[in-house]
Amino acid sequence: MAYTGLQRPLAGKRIAVTRAEEQAGELAARLEALGAEAEVCPTIAIAPPADFTPLDQAIAQLNESVYDWVIFTSANGVRALLDRMGTLGYPTNVLWRCRLGAIGPATARALAKHGLTAGFVPSAYVAEAIVAEIGDVAGQRILLPRADGARETLTAGLRARGALVDEVAAYRTVPGPGIGRLWELLQARVLDALTFTSSSTVRYLLDGLAAAGLRDPEVVELFNHTAIACIGPITAETARRAGLRVDVVAACHTTEGLVEALVAHFAGAVSVEST
């Protein structure tokens, strides 16, 4: 959805961004361009894997043309794999030897920045859609460079279709530096919306609050004073399981879709994805 320079549909709204610090700028800028005051409060940070050995072995196999596919489920996975390849002295064009998949347009753009093309992007930006739409992968070797502890849905689904899947931890998510600031804003009840862009942004916020001795039902009650907006159904389900009321789920599971859903929500339109 395009807006003219005179349209500021989020004017006067104070919205928290919980993405990792290096990724939060794009979403914050989109919100501020529409008039919002963006509060960047990273609840996660991106860290290297605890052990590089599995990733290094996978990169060596990439160089030997072992894999038919590499499927990326986040822009972080793209950066982590390519950074490690550079550290080990492997050129980017090693990835030209296999087909590349991306879970969504942001991940595809991260590949494009390195001169790489995602030949497959599913119609819905979730693991289930990759499994449903990738086609015949029986007997093919697939590398999944992902976050440590990522959902098993993609790995299990591809194996059920006969693929030989190597899932390796390319990076870890760890607690971010913005949890304390976000708690202050929640206590002051000054936020109009709180955005979550992954399940880990939800989990680390709640874990951080619990570690500080802040527990239900007081924590959940404070969350109920702000609109909770999630980038997609997986993140929303994580929030709901934690007892949070989810007000907005982006129909298009991207930061652009999340901003559009927030605009619709504050305009009084139906912005919660039907499930």
Side-chain angles (χ1 to χ4, degrees):
M1 184 181 299
Y3 300 95
T4 70
L6 296 177
Q7 288 180 309
R8 293 168 62 83
L10 296 179
K13 304 301 182 186
R14 199 168 180 181
I15 301 175
V17 175
T18 59
R19 300 192 91 184
E21 197 162 7
E22 60 269 30
Q23 295 177 295
E26 179 186 358
L27 177 54
R30 288 181 183 277
L31 294 170
E32 289 175 346
L34 298 179
E37 178 184 354
E39 291 278 1
V40 176
C41 304
T43 62
I44 64 168
I46 307 303
D51 180 5
F52 275 109
T53 302
L55 181 60
D56 291 352
Q57 290 173 343
I59 290 171
Q61 289 183 307
L62 271 173
N63 191 53
E64 295 166 4
S65 301
V66 167
Y67 292 107
D68 300 288
W69 283 87
V70 181
I71 299 178
F72 295 94
T73 57
S74 70
N76 287 323
V78 174
R79 284 188 287 269
L81 179 66
L82 292 175
D83 285 352
R84 188 60 179 172
M85 287 174 61
T87 298
L88 297 175
Y90 292 100
T92 302
N93 61 16
V94 165
L95 288 168
W96 295 352
R97 302 173 186 177
C98 55
R99 295 187 67 184
L100 303 180
I103 198 168
T107 304
R109 287 195 297 269
L111 284 167
K113 289 178 182 178
H114 296 275
L116 300 166
T117 301
F120 169 64
V121 179
S123 59
Y125 312 139
V126 292
E128 290 82 352
I130 294 178
V131 174
E133 298 175 15
I134 195 170
D136 184 8
V137 290
Q140 296 187 25
R141 292 287 302 273
I142 300 178
L143 175 63
L144 301 179
R146 311 178 70 194
D148 190 14
R151 285 198 311 146
E152 292 296 317
T153 303
L154 180 56
T155 301
L158 292 171
R159 286 176 177 163
R161 300 198 63 167
L164 307 172
V165 182
D166 289 340
E167 181 181 16
V168 298
Y171 66 97
R172 291 178 296 139
T173 54
V174 297
I179 295 173
R181 172 60 178 162
L182 185 49
W183 177 241
E184 292 174 358
L185 293 169
L186 286 167
Q187 285 182 305
R189 299 185 180 181
V190 294
L191 290 177
D192 295 286
L194 170 62
T195 62
F196 290 120
T197 53
S198 66
S199 289
S200 57
T201 58
V202 179
R203 287 193 298 266
Y204 280 115
L205 173 57
L206 295 175
D207 288 351
L209 296 178
L214 305 166
R215 300 185 181 277
D216 295 343
E218 292 82 7
V219 169
V220 170
E221 193 275 334
L222 277 181
F223 277 97
N224 287 337
H225 289 276
T226 184
I228 293 177
C230 296
I231 200 167
I234 306 303
T235 303
E237 181 58 25
T238 300
R240 291 185 181 115
R241 285 200 306 268
L244 304 184
R245 185 202 66 236
V246 176
D247 303 279
V248 179
V249 183
C252 180
H253 313 321
T254 62
T255 54
E256 296 94 330
L258 182 58
V259 171
E260 290 184 6
L262 281 165
V263 170
H265 173 76
F266 287 118
V270 176
S271 56
V272 178
E273 182 184 62
S274 60
T275 55

